[in-house]
Amino acid sequence: MKKFIIIAFTCFLATAAFSQSAIQGRVIDKNSQEPLELAYVRWSNTKQGVVTNKQGYFTLNTTTAETDAALIITFIGFATKEVKAAGNSPIVVEMEKGPISLQEVVITPQSTAASFHTISKIDLNLQPVRSAQDILRTVPGLFIGQHQGGGKAEQIFLRGFDIDHGTDINVTVDGLPVNMVSHAHGQGYADLHFLIPELTGNVDYGKGPYYTQYGNLGTAGYVSMNTVNSLDKSTVKLEGGQFNTMRALAMIDLLSKRQKQKGTNAYVASEFLYSDGPFESPQHFKRFNLFGKFNTQLNNSNKLTLIASTLNSNWDASGQIPERAVKSGQIDRFGYIDNTEGGYTNRTNASAQLTSYLSPNTTWENQAFYSNYNFNLHSNFTFFLNDPVNGDQIRQREGRNIAGYHSKLSHESTLGSWNLQSLYGAGFRLDQTRNTELSHTIDRNTVLDYNQLGNIRETNAFAYADQSIEKNRWRFNVGARFDHFNFHYNDKLSNDQLPDQQKVIVSPKLNVQYTLNTKTQLYVKTGKGFHSNDARVVVFNRGYDILPAAYGADLGVLLKPTRNLLVNVAAWYLYLQQEFVYVGDEGVVEPSGKTRRIGIDVSARYQFNNWLFADANVNLAKPRSVEEPKGENYIPLAPTFTSTGGLNWQLKNGLNGSLRYRYMHDRAANEDKSVIAKGYTVTDLSLNYTKKKYEVGLAIENLFNVKWNETQFDTESRLKDEPDPVSEIHFTPGTPFFARMKLAVFF
């Protein structure tokens, strides 16, 4: 590794004009020898500085005033490092994990180009994460809800969207797409359960359609997660709690410290979870995960990363229950009308990424990935509405292969006094399903009728270019993305095979930021995005409404009014050419017309002292249908007011934990707001005692045992022997007071 650093610097000096008034260096993680991107480097006698690039390199100008000054290097989650620079020789700075300090967060044109990344790093280091879903909750304003047995992908809410299971949010892990296009249960279905939460290294996110790297489904925003490249220590963890809940986790570092110093890391991790849940009919929810990651420095300029993982999960469920059945005493809140719901899913992933360091300012990343996926879900939304004798249970099933490739080139340069950052990318994604099915069943065994059965092939080829130009206080970002789609559907229930449909869309982006000083920065973001329709709908409709566009704008400010307070405020607007609503029992994605959303997002992070932190997020939205008359233009289940926040503490004696809340306001459940989905406030508590060799902890969900509904729908249904159908709220009850203990051993 040291040889690689020396050679890289030699190349740097040979290809760039080395100024006697600048010092150059590289910042890396001491433990893993991995480069640290976005570390902040400044002189000790000034607040202005620079950030490191993808390879951890930086160039910092010097003046006579800095002759005797030291370098100060800060990075969220690492101890601040002070280095005395000797002459003009390049330096290597090794950072060690350390306490969080908001005092070291400085607003500059460079560092706040990724301001959300800074907030995310703070949250991920402080907030307890018990599941992959908790990782999604670190995105300010993002809510999730589970409504079938724990094994199904969660319902997602963000920026005035009921995103269903992923229709309007682009989700990736290690560059691997999580969303399933043209899925048997809903467009963009994003099942994140294959991610072991303790392996999460960072969470990058952005709201709105302003980011060239994230195409399809990225209308409300994107969430990009990456697993750690190396383990600080091996871990075995056991957890147990109410409702017959148990979890076992093992994360094993496979290589020696000497091999890590040479730039090679490898580890495996495995997770098993079982829970019956709080329901009268036990869920019997079982999930098994196995994950492995290997990365090594092939030579002086190439790094290889290999990832493999597999998920297997199955569960029973009680589904959504009607309010009238609970009010009449027919069932309890945790009872059931049909307890034969449930399903299974498995997913196996493989990824290979080659990162080439062409120079200290140029990085070329090439990634190929593959996923094999199987899904089987039984649901009953309407009970006996359509079939008074056998009931309305449906089965949604598919097998799927996903293959893709993504090439990305990033380069930094100068043009006169302007700093340039260029990003170019291209790739493709191929989804092929077999026997995508919607059928009418009894007791999960007998098929009465097939409503849909066929094979889907959907291809998305893309290319994008992104250019950032920075000078003094100004930073301009302009980009464009090109996407080509081909949709094919082989309908096995019909002799008529419809032709493939194709569509191209171009999505421009323009973002501007202005940094007033080290305490204030203003920004404007604008862009066009899109979400694709289900391939079955596209082919049947002969290409109508294939890629409806989304147009958005943000006007925001990033503030650091005091040393210990960081605030982000943004007013935003989003217009969709076509809203999509999934109709589960009909197996279609239903167009709902043009929509418009406006809102305000506020996020604040505050540090009281060296061990106590507070955070709060407030999100307001006004989602409306454009084409409907006033009073009948509400978007069902779209959130209008949400808030999350809490206190987090990390004492030097090993005591740490958090007290957190999440709040969702009442919202319309139908178009005229005559039916209301009730809001809720839920509080969670986490307490841990962490030492070098072990950790014990207690986690309590719903500390005050409030009655709340996790997911709610205005559904027409009929119970057994009811003469007429009834349309009302059907809900999945939220988890009551739920405590579980954990013991972890580190070695």
Side-chain angles (χ1 to χ4, degrees):
M1 187 67 186
K2 292 181 178 178
K3 182 180 179 182
F4 160 69
I5 294 171
I6 294 171
I7 294 176
F9 273 120
T10 303
C11 294
F12 193 16
L13 297 176
T15 57
F18 182 82
S19 170
Q20 294 298 315
S21 60
I23 187 166
Q24 296 165 325
R26 192 171 191 240
V27 181
I28 62 175
D29 182 335
K30 183 177 181 180
N31 181 54
S32 66
Q33 298 293 294
E34 291 287 325
L36 296 179
E37 183 184 5
L38 298 178
Y40 187 60
V41 184
R42 63 177 177 86
W43 292 109
S44 57
N45 58 359
T46 179
K47 285 293 183 182
Q48 294 291 352
V50 298
V51 296
T52 54
N53 65 12
K54 283 182 172 295
Q55 300 179 44
Y57 289 111
F58 69 89
T59 299
L60 186 63
N61 292 329
T62 63
T63 65
T64 305
E66 277 91 36
T67 304
D68 297 321
L71 285 175
I72 304 295
I73 302 96
T74 59
F75 191 66
I76 296 295
F78 286 75
T80 298
K81 192 75 176 279
E82 182 173 329
V83 177
K84 186 66 176 178
N88 293 321
S89 301
I91 62 172
V92 176
V93 180
E94 295 185 335
M95 303 282 284
E96 296 184 79
K97 295 287 179 67
I100 298 291
S101 175
L102 279 180
Q103 294 183 13
E104 300 299 341
V105 177
V106 180
I107 295 179
T108 72
Q110 282 186 311
S111 62
T112 50
S115 57
F116 291 140
H117 184 275
T118 300
I119 292 175
S120 174
K121 288 288 290 184
I122 295 170
D123 293 347
L124 199 60
N125 276 272
L126 293 175
Q127 296 179 17
V129 173
R130 295 178 293 269
S131 67
Q133 293 67 46
D134 282 339
I135 296 172
L136 284 177
R137 285 188 177 128
T138 63
V139 177
L142 190 150
F143 272 63
I144 59 173
Q146 175 59 253
H147 60 264
Q148 217 221 42
K152 184 179 175 183
E154 279 71 23
Q155 188 177 2
I156 302 173
F157 303 90
L158 179 67
R159 274 207 165 179
F161 279 88
D162 170 12
I163 298 176
D164 196 49
H165 299 290
T167 307
D168 287 283
I169 188 168
N170 185 298
V171 184
T172 59
V173 175
D174 290 321
L176 185 77
V178 177
N179 302 84
M180 300 284 184
V181 292
S182 303
H183 188 271
H185 184 68
Q187 175 67 328
Y189 188 86
D191 184 354
L192 197 58
H193 293 114
F194 66 85
L195 175 62
I196 299 174
E198 286 86 350
L199 296 180
T200 307
N202 62 69
V203 180
D204 183 24
Y205 65 88
K207 300 179 186 179
Y210 315 126
Y211 314 96
T212 56
Q213 290 189 65
Y214 305 96
N216 193 16
L217 311 177
T219 47
Y222 76 89
V223 182
S224 175
M225 290 154 280
N226 286 283
T227 56
V228 295
N229 281 333
S230 68
L231 298 179
D232 292 334
K233 51 203 169 189
S234 296
T235 302
V236 173
K237 182 188 295 185
L238 296 175
E239 299 179 14
Q242 294 173 272
F243 317 127
N244 293 327
T245 300
M246 59 192 74
R247 179 174 182 256
L249 168 73
M251 303 188 302
I252 308 299
D253 193 350
L254 299 178
L255 301 181
S256 66
K257 188 174 182 180
R258 183 178 179 182
Q259 289 170 305
K260 286 185 177 183
Q261 292 293 328
K262 293 181 179 180
T264 299
N265 294 279
Y267 66 86
V268 294
S270 182
E271 172 200 44
F272 175 77
L273 173 67
Y274 178 88
S275 181
D276 284 333
F279 304 94
E280 290 183 5
S281 180
Q283 292 181 334
H284 304 300
F285 173 40
K286 295 185 287 290
R287 183 177 72 225
F288 174 76
N289 268 316
L290 182 63
F291 180 95
K293 190 170 188 178
F294 170 81
N295 54 84
T296 186
Q297 202 71 44
L298 295 176
N299 52 38
N300 295 332
S301 57
N302 291 287
K303 177 183 176 182
L304 177 66
T305 301
L306 302 176
I307 297 175
S309 69
T310 187
L311 157 74
N312 193 289
S313 178
N314 60 80
W315 66 94
D316 299 322
S318 304
Q320 294 136 216
I321 57 175
E323 283 189 334
R324 63 186 183 278
V326 177
K327 290 179 180 178
S328 68
Q330 179 180 347
I331 61 173
D332 182 75
R333 273 178 54 83
F334 295 96
Y336 58 89
I337 299 297
D338 181 356
N339 69 337
T340 63
E341 296 190 20
Y344 74 80
T345 185
N346 61 64
R347 178 171 181 171
T348 300
N349 304 309
S351 169
Q353 179 172 322
L354 179 65
T355 303
S356 300
Y357 305 122
L358 305 183
S359 77
N361 289 333
T362 306
T363 304
W364 187 21
E365 300 169 81
N366 289 276
Q367 180 181 17
F369 58 83
Y370 168 78
S371 292
N372 177 265
Y373 173 77
N374 295 282
F375 175 85
N376 190 328
L377 180 69
H378 288 84
S379 308
N380 190 347
F381 303 108
T382 53
F383 310 121
F384 294 92
L385 175 67
N386 302 312
D387 189 336
V389 176
N390 300 301
D392 298 348
Q393 185 182 90
I394 61 173
R395 180 172 73 186
Q396 294 162 313
R397 184 167 63 172
E398 72 167 46
R400 178 183 298 249
N401 289 305
I402 306 172
Y405 170 75
H406 188 183
S407 181
K408 182 169 58 177
L409 179 71
S410 56
H411 176 68
E412 295 181 346
S413 60
T414 59
L415 181 62
S417 59
W418 293 85
N419 296 318
L420 309 180
Q421 295 177 353
S422 305
L423 179 66
Y424 308 100
F428 74 90
R429 170 178 172 175
L430 170 65
D431 286 70
Q432 288 186 302
T433 77
R434 58 190 181 278
N435 295 325
T436 296
E437 171 192 330
L438 172 65
S439 59
H440 181 196
T441 60
I442 301 177
D443 294 331
R444 297 166 66 167
N445 294 313
T446 305
V447 177
L448 299 178
D449 186 33
Y450 286 101
N451 298 336
Q452 289 182 345
L453 183 65
N455 298 332
I456 296 170
R457 185 180 68 246
E458 182 173 333
T459 307
N460 173 205
F462 61 87
Y464 58 85
D466 189 282
Q467 184 72 58
S468 295
I469 308 172
E470 178 189 307
K471 181 180 180 181
N472 298 328
R473 299 180 178 183
W474 288 97
R475 183 183 178 93
F476 300 91
N477 171 256
V478 61
R481 182 183 176 96
F482 169 91
D483 284 270
H484 174 273
F485 283 82
N486 182 277
F487 301 89
H488 169 84
Y489 181 57
N490 176 24
D491 187 357
K492 293 188 174 183
L493 301 180
S494 172
N495 293 324
D496 299 327
Q497 296 304 316
L498 299 174
D500 291 5
Q501 299 295 328
Q502 300 186 47
K503 186 72 172 181
V504 169
I505 189 169
V506 177
S507 307
K509 326 281 184 177
L510 174 62
N511 308 308
V512 181
Q513 71 177 36
Y514 179 73
T515 304
L516 279 74
N517 48 48
T518 57
K519 296 182 178 181
T520 309
Q521 182 185 83
L522 305 174
Y523 62 85
V524 176
K525 297 181 180 181
T526 61
K528 174 186 175 184
F530 67 95
H531 56 189
S532 65
N533 205 339
D534 186 285
R536 292 164 291 182
V537 179
V538 168
V539 172
F540 284 138
N541 288 352
R542 304 298 178 103
Y544 179 70
D545 282 336
I546 293 183
L547 302 174
Y551 300 90
D554 271 37
L555 175 62
V557 59
L558 188 67
L559 301 170
K560 188 82 185 303
T562 69
R563 297 178 64 192
N564 295 330
L565 177 63
L566 181 65
V567 180
N568 179 236
V569 182
W572 56 270
Y573 169 90
L574 187 65
Y575 168 82
L576 262 69
Q577 286 184 336
Q578 188 64 263
E579 185 97 3
F580 289 144
V581 176
Y582 174 68
V583 184
D585 53 351
E586 297 178 15
V588 300
V589 178
E590 185 178 86
S592 301
K594 299 178 176 65
T595 60
R596 178 179 60 245
R597 290 168 171 82
I598 58 174
I600 297 176
D601 291 346
V602 180
S603 295
R605 304 292 180 268
Y606 183 74
Q607 183 172 1
F608 291 97
N609 49 41
N610 60 2
W611 58 269
L612 183 61
F613 302 79
D615 65 275
N617 308 292
V618 177
N619 308 95
L620 302 172
K622 185 179 180 181
R624 293 291 187 270
S625 174
V626 173
E627 300 171 316
E628 301 299 327
K630 187 176 181 179
E632 299 177 12
N633 61 345
Y634 292 92
I635 301 176
L637 302 178
T640 58
F641 177 24
T642 63
S643 180
T644 59
L647 294 172
N648 304 280
W649 54 89
Q650 294 184 340
L651 298 172
K652 290 183 178 180
N653 62 5
L655 289 173
N656 61 88
S658 71
L659 180 66
R660 307 198 56 76
Y661 77 90
R662 59 186 186 275
Y663 167 78
M664 179 174 285
H665 191 62
D666 293 351
R667 60 197 193 280
N670 61 355
E671 289 79 1
D672 62 5
K673 205 179 179 182
S674 59
V675 181
I676 301 295
K678 296 178 182 177
Y680 57 84
T681 302
V682 177
T683 305
D684 300 329
L685 175 67
S686 176
L687 296 171
N688 302 295
Y689 182 63
T690 307
K691 303 302 285 185
K692 185 176 181 180
K693 295 293 186 180
Y694 67 91
E695 179 182 69
V696 293
L698 168 68
I700 299 176
E701 297 180 39
N702 196 356
L703 177 64
F704 302 113
N705 199 28
V706 300
K707 290 184 178 180
W708 64 291
N709 296 336
E710 188 159 12
T711 55
Q712 303 169 71
F713 301 90
D714 181 20
T715 306
E716 185 181 37
S717 68
R718 180 163 54 190
L719 303 180
K720 189 75 169 177
D721 301 325
E722 269 188 335
D724 300 302
V726 177
S727 181
E728 66 171 359
I729 286 291
H730 292 56
F731 68 92
T732 300
T735 304
F737 180 96
F738 173 31
R740 58 179 177 180
M741 299 286 295
K742 71 175 177 182
L743 170 63
V745 178
F746 311 124
F747 56 96

